[in-house]
Amino acid sequence: SGSADGKDSGRKLTVGFSQVGAESGWRTANTKSVQDAAKKAGITLKFSDAQQKQENQIKAIRSFIQQKVDVIAFSPVVESGWDTVLKEAKDAHIPVILTDRAVDSKDDSLYVSFLGSDFVEEGRKAGDWLVKQYQGKADAVNIVELQGTTGSAPANDRKSGFTDVIKADAKFKIVASQTGDFTRAKGKEVMQAFLKSQPKIDVLYAHNDDMALGAIQAIEEAGRKPGTDIKIISVDGVKDAFTAMSQGKINVDVECNPLLGDQLMDLVKKVKSGQQVPKRIKTEEGVFTQDQAAAALPTRQY
Ligand code: GYE
């Protein structure tokens, strides 16, 4: 096991990584980043895909404990319900690093560090853009919201950050809000339902690009112009979304960086050599308008 005297330095470390799934372009980029970084760092990666199911992640973590991996890293699909299995890891003296998504456990000794974005801040940035966009206009602004996976940190936080900003002005109304599970197919399906049930939609706020891209298809099939007839705010900043932006179909994209692999492997090494690591490491991110997206597209990595 790990020790402060660098006992582990000559031995190849093994990390058990439980990924959420393969639900989005963001996730694909994140998986590749983690796999590439492990290789580069000379770390053996045991990779497990949970297909967006918490029970699969719990099984994977238990199997990592049984295999006595050096470190467990995982991106929790939802925020709640982790205490039991995390306690099992703790009792086995296997450090746990949360990547990308957070847990709501009250006991923060159950993990050594949480590396990822500030999703509340992302929601606030989305709200700030909207408030600016409609400054000086009095008419009601009807918003439909495509939420991420129910109970996930990014869905909870992107909703609360956004709502927090727009509630200052009563003209902003979220007229419908439903989960699209962070996927294109669900985003399209739910947007189709919104278009049928809502007589007036001014703005779509999608919690990720894949749902926005699915919704764009639904909007176009309904004979309306995405980005013009319905303004679209999205989150992530993947290449496909930047392409849609350069065609005028998404108005603004709040960046969420999936390239966490190198930082994660760095943390693994530090933890195993007994170094103190920060409990929370936040990713730095921006906001992209259509012009900025078009300019960034040729060099965008994901
Ligand atoms: O925004 C979405 C993905 O947890 C930040 O998960 C991640 C989110 C990301 O499915 O595209």
Side-chain angles (χ1 to χ4, degrees):
S1 69
S3 62
D5 59 3
K7 234 191 244 162
D8 285 310
S9 57
R11 189 172 61 84
K12 203 167 177 190
L13 295 174
T14 297
V15 172
F17 182 75
S18 169
Q19 179 61 292
V20 168
E23 73 284 3
S24 67
W26 189 100
R27 188 64 54 196
T28 306
N30 178 249
T31 293
K32 183 169 186 306
S33 169
V34 170
Q35 289 172 334
D36 289 352
K39 222 177 258 160
K40 205 167 78 187
I43 288 172
T44 304
L45 188 73
K46 290 182 188 286
F47 183 89
S48 173
D49 176 339
Q51 300 181 323
Q52 295 236 68
K53 291 202 180 79
Q54 180 170 37
E55 65 203 76
N56 291 344
Q57 288 199 299
I58 292 174
K59 263 189 222 151
I61 293 168
R62 290 204 166 121
S63 138
F64 294 148
I65 295 170
Q66 241 167 23
Q67 296 173 62
K68 297 189 167 58
V69 299
D70 294 295
V71 174
I72 292 170
F74 85 116
S75 176
V77 57
V78 292
E79 284 191 278
S80 60
W82 298 104
D83 287 30
T84 305
V85 74
L86 291 183
K87 181 79 174 25
E88 289 167 23
K90 191 181 173 187
D91 291 345
H93 304 289
I94 300 176
V96 173
I97 300 173
L98 304 177
T99 79
D100 161 35
R101 295 185 185 177
V103 298
D104 67 2
S105 299
K106 297 219 166 48
D107 178 2
D108 76 357
S109 80
L110 294 176
Y111 57 91
V112 289
S113 188
F114 166 38
L115 163 67
S117 306
D118 183 337
F119 302 131
V120 177
E121 189 52 35
E122 290 171 352
R124 300 187 68 86
K125 287 174 182 167
D128 286 340
W129 181 87
L130 190 65
V131 167
K132 262 214 191 109
Q133 196 67 19
Y134 286 90
Q135 219 158 37
K137 294 177 188 155
D139 291 349
V141 180
N142 286 359
I143 304 160
V144 295
E145 180 181 33
L146 281 170
Q147 294 183 41
T149 301
T150 304
S152 70
N156 291 341
D157 295 354
R158 285 173 187 164
K159 182 175 189 53
S160 72
F162 181 76
T163 311
D164 219 43
V165 170
I166 63 163
K167 75 174 181 218
D169 191 333
K171 75 183 174 204
F172 295 114
K173 291 190 181 75
I174 299 182
V175 293
S177 179
Q178 218 177 290
T179 182
D181 232 356
F182 281 132
T183 68
R184 274 186 208 211
K186 266 289 205 115
K188 180 176 181 185
E189 192 185 304
V190 176
M191 190 68 203
Q192 280 171 333
F194 285 166
L195 286 162
K196 280 194 190 124
S197 64
Q198 296 302 322
K200 179 177 175 276
I201 300 173
D202 301 301
V203 174
L204 163 66
Y205 172 41
H207 288 187
N208 84 338
D209 286 341
D210 285 79
M211 293 191 294
L213 292 163
I216 285 171
Q217 286 179 23
I219 294 167
E220 287 178 333
E221 284 170 18
R224 305 184 65 186
K225 267 190 106 180
T228 310
D229 296 337
I230 297 175
K231 294 212 179 355
I232 301 182
I233 306 171
S234 187
V235 187
D236 276 354
V238 299
K239 246 190 205 153
D240 285 356
F242 277 16
T243 301
M245 286 177 84
S246 67
Q247 298 163 346
K249 296 179 182 181
I250 293 175
N251 301 79
V252 67
D253 210 337
V254 177
E255 185 181 34
C256 181
N257 187 358
L259 307 179
L260 304 175
D262 288 332
Q263 274 174 294
L264 173 60
M265 297 311 148
D266 204 49
L267 268 174
V268 165
K269 286 185 174 170
K270 284 189 172 139
V271 166
K272 286 309 289 182
S273 67
Q275 289 181 54
Q276 197 68 34
V277 297
K279 201 86 205 182
R280 176 75 173 102
I281 302 172
K282 279 188 197 173
T283 327
E284 297 229 354
E285 291 151 348
V287 176
F288 286 83
T289 57
Q290 288 176 342
D291 289 348
Q292 291 165 331
L297 198 48
T299 55
R300 196 74 180 159
Q301 284 183 65
Y302 52 89

